[in-house]
Amino acid sequence: MKVLVAVKRVIDYNVKIRVKADHSDVDLTNVKMAMNPFCEIAVEEAVRLKEKGVATEVVAVSVGPKAAQEQLRTSLALGADRAIHIETDERVESLAVAKLLANVVDEEQPGLVILGKQAIDTDNNQTGQMLAALTNLPQGTFASEVVVDGDKLHVTREIDGGLQTIALTLPAIVTTDLRLNEPRYAKLPDIMKAKKKPMDVRTPADFGVEVASKVSLLKVESPAERKGGVKVASVDELIDKLKNEAKVL
Amino acid sequence: MSILVLADLHEGQLAGATAHVVAAAEAIGGDIDVLVAGEGVQAAAEAAAKLNGVTKVRVADNVVYAHQLAEPLSALLVELADDYTHVLASASTTGKNVLPRLAALKDVSQLSDIIAVDSADTFKRPIYAGNAIATVKSDDALKVITVRTTGFDAVSEGGSGSASIEAVDVVVENSQSSFVKEELAQSDRPELGGAKVVISGGRGMGNGENFKLLDGIADKLGAAIGASRAAVDAGFVPNDMQVGQTGKIVAPELYIAVGISGAIQHLAGMKDSKVIVAINKDDEAPIFQVADYGLVGDLFEILPELESNI
C-alpha cells in the first residue's frame, strides 16, 4: 500500500510572533521556520507503517514556496521515499490545498493519506476533512491510534469526552493528533541520503487548480494584552485578593 | 439571512455549546434553525426549541446519524444547506470534523473558530495559537463557520418552547465508516469548556496520584479540573482534560494554574480567562506574566492550605 503524507512549512512553534506594523499579516522575515509539528507526526506514522511492512512506499507532498523543499527534504531524511513539491508563492487557503492534494491522490492512488490535524500558523483544522470530501473517501480525524486490519482501517480518535474508535474502508484519509506517536530525529547519514531522493516539482497550474480564495484577510492584530499581575506572599493573601479585589470567590 | 446551527450532542442530550453558537448566529442576524441529528434525539430537539432566538428545530433521527460520524452528517448537511446563507457549528471535535467536509462538498471555504462577528460576512478569528487576531471576509455564497464558544455568551432558555420542531426525512447511505467503540471519561464535575472556575495541573504535579490534591479545591469551588499538555503526555491524566491550542479552549471567571510553566500552546487555551492565578515554585515561569495573582512556592504545601482555607 502506498502512503501519501502532506507536510507544511510553518513558523517554528517556539517563536514568539510579531504582527506587521501595517497589520497586513504576521511578520515572517528572518523568522525560524520548521515542519508543522502535526505533520512530523504524520510522517513518523507513515514511516512506521513502512517499517511494519504495511506501507510499500511513502510519498511526501507539500504546497508552498520554494523553501518548503527543506521540509520535504526533512521528510525524506525521516524515511519518505520521494517527494512532490507544488510550488506557489501565493497565500493558499485550505480548500485550494485540498484541491491540489486531491489531484495528487488521483494521480498516485495511495491506500492511505496522512495529514496533521491542523497547522499551528492558521490553526484551521480543515485540510484533511476537505481532502476526504473532494476524493469521496472516509476520514479519521484527530487520530491517536491507527491500525490497518485487512481492508479496514481502525482509527481511535480524540474527541471532547474521551476517545472514539471508528472503522473506515480503505483508501482513507487520516489526520494526526499529538499523541499518535513520538517523531524521531533525522540522523546525519539519512540527511545526506535524502539529498539524492527524487523531488518532483509542480505548480498549481499543472493541475488546473485556481489558488485564489474567496476569503480575504483584511487585518491582523495583536490580541489585547493582559495587564501584569501581582505576586502574593501567602495563601491567606491570595484568598483575600480573590474574595475582595477580584471578587471571584 | 438564514442560518442553520448544527446542535452539539453529548450522550444524546443537547450540549451547552449549542446555546453559544445560537448567540453567534444572533450576532449575524436572520432566522435561526437548529439541526439536531443523531439517534434517539427527541429530548435534545425539545431542549433546542427552548433556546431563545431559535425559529425552528429540524430533527434528523436515524441510526445512520448515530455518533455523528462525518460522512453521513456532512451528506445530510449538503442536502439542507441550500436553504441557508450560513451553516454554523461549535468548534467542538464534532464541528471541526464535519464542517470542513461540508464546505468542500459545497466548494466553499470554511472559517474556523470565530470569536467575533463584525458583519454577516466578516469575522474575527485567532491565529498562531491566539497570538494574533485575524479579521477575515468571506465572499462565498454559503458561509460555513465553526464558533469558539468562549467568544459568545450563551443565549438563555425561553422556557416557552416557541420554536417549531419538524422532522427531516433525509436519510443518507454510509458504507464508508462505522462506529466501533467509545471510551468516555466519567466525571461529576462541570464540563471543562463551560465551567466558571477551572483548576489545572501541569508537569509540576509530579504524577497522576497528586492530581487528587486538586479534587478538594475543585469540589469547594465547583470547578472543573484541567491539565497542561505536559501532564497529559506524561500520562498523569487523560487527554480530554487538556487545555491549550491542541486541547480545549476555556475562558472561566477564575483559572488556577498549578505547576504549569505557561508554554505558548497552553496559554492559547486559557489566556482569555477573567482572573488567572498561578501557583509555581519557579518565579521566572512565563505563567506569571499573564497571571493576575501569582504565588511562588511548593504546590504540595500550598494546595492543602488553600483547600482548608477557602
Side-chain angles (χ1 to χ4, degrees):
Chain A
M1 174 168 85
K2 189 193 284 184
V3 178
L4 186 71
V5 195
V7 300
K8 185 178 184 185
R9 175 184 172 87
V10 297
I11 201 162
D12 184 89
Y13 73 98
N14 277 313
V15 171
K16 186 154 175 48
I17 57 130
R18 293 183 313 270
V19 172
K20 283 183 183 171
D22 65 358
H23 295 293
S24 60
D25 206 343
V26 166
D27 193 353
L28 294 182
T29 44
N30 297 321
V31 171
K32 187 182 174 197
M33 303 294 280
M35 193 192 297
N36 179 44
F38 292 99
C39 302
E40 285 184 22
I41 294 168
V43 172
E44 175 68 30
E45 195 64 20
V47 172
R48 286 187 190 188
L49 286 172
K50 196 180 169 196
E51 287 167 348
K52 280 187 213 155
V54 177
T56 49
E57 188 186 27
V58 175
V59 182
V61 55
S62 189
V63 178
K66 189 161 182 59
Q69 290 187 10
E70 285 171 32
Q71 279 62 50
L72 285 171
R73 287 289 169 206
T74 306
S75 313
L76 295 171
L78 291 168
D81 297 290
R82 60 188 170 88
I84 301 167
H85 179 215
I86 303 170
E87 191 177 333
T88 170
D89 287 323
E90 302 283 313
R91 188 173 66 89
V92 196
E93 291 275 344
S94 304
L95 183 63
V97 174
K99 284 180 181 174
L100 289 164
L101 293 178
N103 277 282
V104 175
V105 168
D106 199 34
E107 272 185 14
E108 297 281 343
Q109 295 290 317
L112 179 64
V113 186
I114 313 180
L115 306 87
K117 79 163 177 182
Q118 76 189 64
I120 61 163
D121 51 1
T122 52
D123 281 335
N124 271 330
N125 197 328
Q126 299 173 2
T127 306
Q129 295 88 315
M130 288 179 159
L131 175 61
L134 297 175
T135 52
N136 192 28
L137 294 176
Q139 66 190 52
T141 51
F142 329 139
S144 59
E145 196 183 356
V146 175
V147 180
V148 178
D149 180 15
D151 60 349
K152 290 257 171 157
L153 188 74
H154 282 249
V155 180
T156 301
R157 307 177 55 232
E158 299 201 357
I159 60 169
D160 284 331
L163 297 172
Q164 178 193 64
T165 306
I166 54 173
L168 306 176
T169 56
L170 287 168
I173 312 287
V174 165
T175 72
T176 65
D177 217 314
L178 282 166
R179 268 161 295 276
L180 182 59
N181 60 49
E182 187 114 355
R184 68 193 70 187
Y185 292 97
K187 297 193 198 79
L188 186 60
D190 293 333
I191 295 170
M192 300 310 287
K193 269 186 238 160
K195 291 184 178 171
K196 297 207 174 72
K197 288 186 179 176
M199 171 116 48
D200 184 13
V201 181
R202 316 279 287 271
T203 67
D206 293 345
F207 299 107
V209 171
E210 187 61 58
V211 165
S213 160
K214 288 197 170 152
V215 172
S216 41
L217 185 61
L218 300 184
K219 191 163 65 172
V220 176
E221 304 160 281
S222 291
E225 288 278 324
R226 284 192 81 94
K227 275 185 293 180
V230 294
K231 289 217 174 110
V232 294
S234 68
V235 169
D236 288 337
E237 191 187 344
L238 176 63
I239 291 173
D240 176 62
K241 294 262 192 199
L242 290 177
K243 277 190 175 145
N244 300 317
E245 199 175 276
K247 301 191 195 304
V248 286
L249 285 189
Chain B
M1 229 79 68
S2 51
I3 304 168
L4 182 65
V5 169
L6 174 64
D8 271 272
L9 302 177
H10 182 70
E11 295 182 359
Q13 301 300 309
L14 191 73
T18 309
H20 294 266
V21 183
V22 171
E26 281 192 322
I28 294 168
D31 287 342
I32 302 169
D33 291 358
V34 174
L35 172 66
V36 180
E39 188 190 14
V41 290
Q42 200 58 36
E46 283 162 20
K50 292 199 177 96
L51 293 175
N52 273 324
V54 175
T55 311
K56 186 166 67 180
V57 176
R58 306 181 76 175
V59 192
D61 200 332
N62 191 284
V63 65
V64 75
Y65 306 123
H67 306 289
Q68 303 199 306
L69 298 179
E71 295 77 13
L73 208 47
S74 55
L76 169 66
L77 283 165
V78 165
E79 295 290 322
L80 304 180
D82 289 343
D83 297 342
Y84 300 94
T85 55
H86 297 68
V87 176
L88 269 56
S90 79
S92 62
T93 46
T94 301
K96 287 175 179 171
N97 192 31
V98 175
L99 257 57
R101 194 169 171 110
L102 162 69
L105 291 171
K106 300 298 287 182
D107 194 26
V108 297
S109 291
Q110 196 240 171
L111 302 177
S112 295
D113 248 336
I114 62 159
I115 55 169
V117 175
D118 280 3
S119 70
D121 61 7
T122 306
F123 308 90
K124 284 193 166 60
R125 58 176 303 264
I127 53 176
Y128 291 90
N131 288 298
I133 307 296
T135 305
V136 289
K137 180 170 183 282
S138 167
D139 290 327
D140 279 316
L142 174 70
K143 275 90 169 160
V144 179
I145 297 168
T146 62
V147 175
R148 180 170 290 194
T149 51
T150 59
F152 299 88
D153 291 333
V155 296
S156 55
E157 286 186 17
S160 55
S162 55
S164 61
I165 300 180
E166 72 174 36
V168 175
D169 51 14
V170 178
V171 177
V172 298
E173 299 256 322
N174 176 31
S175 57
Q176 291 186 313
S177 63
S178 57
F179 172 82
V180 178
K181 64 175 178 180
E182 219 158 54
E183 293 161 56
L184 298 180
Q186 297 301 324
S187 173
D188 300 331
R189 296 218 164 77
E191 183 210 354
L192 192 53
K196 287 208 157 42
V197 181
V198 174
I199 181 162
S200 287
R203 200 197 301 275
M205 297 301 291
N207 59 48
E209 194 67 12
N210 288 339
F211 264 75
K212 288 191 181 138
L213 291 170
L214 305 179
D215 286 348
I217 301 171
D219 288 343
K220 280 192 169 175
L221 297 176
I225 297 184
S228 70
R229 189 182 148 201
V232 173
D233 282 352
F236 297 174
V237 290
N239 67 276
D240 55 299
M241 285 169 66
Q242 183 183 321
V243 173
Q245 184 185 19
T246 57
K248 289 211 177 63
I249 312 288
V250 301
E253 300 269 302
L254 173 61
Y255 188 88
I256 307 175
V258 185
I260 292 175
S261 65
I264 290 175
Q265 106 88 29
H266 186 73
L267 299 182
M270 47 63 83
K271 67 188 167 71
D272 292 327
S273 305
K274 189 161 161 257
V275 175
I276 297 174
V277 170
I279 298 170
N280 204 300
K281 65 181 177 192
D282 174 12
D283 67 353
E284 301 281 312
I287 190 81
F288 287 119
Q289 290 164 20
V290 299
D292 300 278
Y293 302 106
L295 183 51
V296 180
D298 183 353
L299 65 93
F300 296 103
E301 290 165 16
I302 291 170
L303 288 177
E305 195 184 339
L306 194 59
E307 182 180 343
S308 58
N309 289 11
I310 284 175

